[in-house]
Each structure stands twice: as structure tokens, then as C-alpha cells.
Amino acid sequence: MIRLIDNQNDLDRDMLVKTLSGKKILSYLKAYGTDYDFCRFYKLEYDIGCGFMFMINSTLIICSDYDLPTDEILSFIQMNIPFRIEGSQQILKKLSIDNYQVLNRTVFEMLPDEKTAEFNEQFVNFNPDLDDVYKILSEGFPNIADYGLWITDTSHRCRHGVSRVFTYKECTTASIVFDIENTVLIGQVATKIESRGSGYARDFLKWLAAFLHQFNKRAYLLALDIRVSYYLEIGFREVEKEIVLERIDIEKESMQKGRLNNESELK
């Protein structure tokens, strides 16, 4: 059974804190609570165990320690048609849905190195104007959410201490998506077109890894296949492979970036 949660005490924090997907759910709970229609939390209740789903705008996250049945989950997806589905791999690998494709994604741990000492921190803006950040992101991610949606969500999460945004030399940006129990997820990494090839993103991400490491935090980022070689080259550690599902009936830039070449990779 799928049950809408209206009391945050119904969420099992011990389960959710085990994974990046679960921590992402907890971060949105901290930012929004359970009172917003666009940000909904659900409990999956079955005889063999329980799990949780979280739906925000066009993304669905599924989290469970158990290999839950998928009939009701499939019906939920078909009714709500999220653009992206991510989370529990044992559940995602059982989902076969028309108009969705399977994409590879790699989890990287961001590791600092000795060259970070040469980085000039004075060029880092710890509190940039979000309008300037959006301009950078719109060049790096042509299909980013419209300005109103992005600025509302980002500013809200920053005000509530869930997220933090940085820029470097006014042309590269990266964001802390969440910081939970000293685990940090980094996202929305982009550089202006005119500054690409300068090495700014590489230097900035290595510095950011070192900056967080000094506070005993471990930083991670997620990469579709097209970016995997880049992060390996700059010395980040591959932690695990996972899949996400994305709709193919909506044109998005990520559609070809992580497509599995062989369906047997799911097995």
C-alpha cells in the first residue's frame, strides 16, 4: 500500500540516512516539511517490509531496504509521470515502463590533493547573487528548470540551511545539495561557455573537496556516462554505479548521455 505522509515522524530516518537518495529525501523534509503539494512524501507498506517515496516537481525518489513489489509503484508512476526516477536499485531494476529509458550514473567521492594548496580562495564567492548563478547554469544546462522555479527552490533551501551555492571567478558554479551527518552531495556544476577549457571547474572542485574535508565532511557527486572520464581524470574516486529512469517523450539534454548500450547490464 502507498500512503501519503502528513506527519514527518512517519519517516524512518534510520533507513533514509543509509543512502544518498535517502539523505536527499531528508534534506527536502528539512527544507519544506510535509505541507506543500509539490513536495510529497509517501510510505510504502507491505508484509515483507516498508519503504518511502518522495515526489518533487518532476523527480521521484524511491528508498527502501527491501525488495518491495512494484505493481502499485508502477501505477503511481503511470498516474504521476515524473520525468526522472531514482533511488533503490533493486526496485528500479524491476521497473519496465513505456516511454522511459535506463541511464547509467556513477557516484564519485571528491578527493582533495596537494595541488589544492596553490588554489587562490579569494576568487571564490561564498554568497553569490543567485541571478548570476542561474546565468552560468543556463549555459551549462540548457534544460534547467525555468528561472522562477529554480530561484524559488534554491533560495528557499539556502535560507533553511539545506543548500549552499558557490561561484569561482564569476564563471564556474557548484552547489551543496545537502549536508547530512557530514555527508555532502555536490550538484549543479557548470562553467560559462566562454571559460571552458580553462581548468577552472577542475581547480574549483578539487578546492571544494579540500574545503569540505577540513570540516571532516565527505563530498560526493553524481555523473552520467559522458562525464565519468572527466571525474576519473581529475582524481575523484568511483564509489558505485547505479541506474536512473528518464522519460524519452520529453526532450532533455541528458537523454543520450547515459543510455545503457546493453539491456543485459541490468541483470
Side-chain angles (χ1 to χ4, degrees):
M1 180 179 72
I2 299 176
R3 177 170 62 86
L4 179 66
I5 292 175
D6 57 11
N7 185 335
Q8 59 181 285
N9 292 327
D10 287 342
L11 287 165
D12 184 346
R13 181 181 175 85
D14 290 338
M15 176 188 291
L16 294 174
V17 80
K18 293 177 182 177
T19 63
L20 290 177
S21 294
K23 288 175 180 174
K24 188 183 290 187
I25 292 176
L26 289 172
S27 73
Y28 276 99
L29 178 68
K30 179 180 178 180
Y32 290 105
T34 58
D35 296 330
Y36 291 89
D37 289 339
F38 67 87
C39 181
R40 304 189 304 275
F41 302 84
Y42 299 87
K43 186 171 186 179
L44 305 170
E45 299 176 303
Y46 298 97
D47 291 339
I48 64 171
C50 70
F52 299 92
M53 293 196 308
F54 169 65
M55 183 85 171
I56 181 160
N57 298 320
S58 60
T59 296
L60 175 66
I61 303 174
I62 304 171
C63 187
S64 178
D65 288 341
Y66 303 93
D67 187 9
L68 301 179
T70 59
D71 288 350
E72 285 186 303
I73 296 173
L74 281 168
S75 296
F76 180 93
I77 292 169
Q78 290 163 350
M79 285 189 296
N80 291 275
I81 52 173
F83 172 69
R84 178 180 293 109
I85 306 167
E86 58 185 66
S88 174
Q89 294 296 287
Q90 59 185 346
I91 294 176
L92 262 63
K93 289 177 180 179
K94 294 194 300 181
L95 298 177
S96 178
I97 320 166
D98 291 341
N99 292 326
Y100 281 84
Q101 67 174 335
V102 178
L103 302 179
N104 278 321
R105 192 165 70 179
T106 302
V107 181
F108 281 97
E109 182 178 4
M110 299 169 58
L111 302 176
D113 60 27
E114 65 281 358
K115 292 183 180 179
T116 308
E118 304 170 8
F119 184 86
N120 194 336
E121 194 173 296
Q122 70 174 348
F123 292 113
V124 177
N125 191 335
F126 290 81
N127 187 30
D129 187 293
L130 292 182
D131 288 345
D132 295 335
V133 173
Y134 185 80
K135 290 176 183 177
I136 300 173
L137 288 174
S138 63
E139 291 190 22
F141 301 97
N143 297 301
I144 192 172
D146 67 77
Y147 173 79
L149 181 62
W150 180 87
I151 194 73
T152 300
D153 179 52
T154 303
S155 59
H156 183 90
R157 288 188 290 109
C158 288
R159 286 197 307 273
H160 285 77
V162 173
S163 298
R164 187 172 183 180
V165 181
F166 304 84
T167 58
Y168 175 57
K169 292 192 173 181
E170 300 181 347
C171 63
T172 297
T173 186
S175 297
I176 291 176
V177 179
F178 65 71
D179 179 353
I180 295 179
E181 296 193 355
N182 289 327
T183 296
V184 176
L185 180 64
I186 299 298
Q188 296 196 335
V189 179
T191 298
K192 285 183 177 180
I193 294 174
E194 63 187 25
S195 299
R196 292 177 190 170
S198 62
Y200 289 165
R202 176 197 306 259
D203 295 342
F204 180 43
L205 289 173
K206 296 293 282 188
W207 168 83
L208 187 54
F211 173 76
L212 293 167
H213 182 74
Q214 68 180 324
F215 299 107
N216 296 316
K217 298 181 185 296
R218 301 180 70 173
Y220 298 87
L221 57 77
L222 309 173
L224 293 176
D225 278 354
I226 196 172
R227 301 300 291 169
V228 166
S229 61
Y230 174 77
Y231 291 123
L232 288 173
E233 181 184 336
I234 65 177
F236 290 170
R237 184 175 69 88
E238 182 179 315
V239 177
E240 63 178 323
K241 295 280 191 180
E242 62 182 20
I243 64 168
V244 297
L245 307 180
E246 283 192 1
R247 287 172 61 182
I248 57 176
D249 55 336
I250 296 179
E251 186 175 352
K252 292 280 186 178
E253 66 165 356
S254 57
M255 284 179 58
Q256 303 299 328
K257 289 185 177 179
R259 185 191 295 274
L260 288 171
N261 294 320
N262 191 331
E263 289 299 323
S264 66
E265 293 181 43
L266 289 176
K267 300 175 183 178

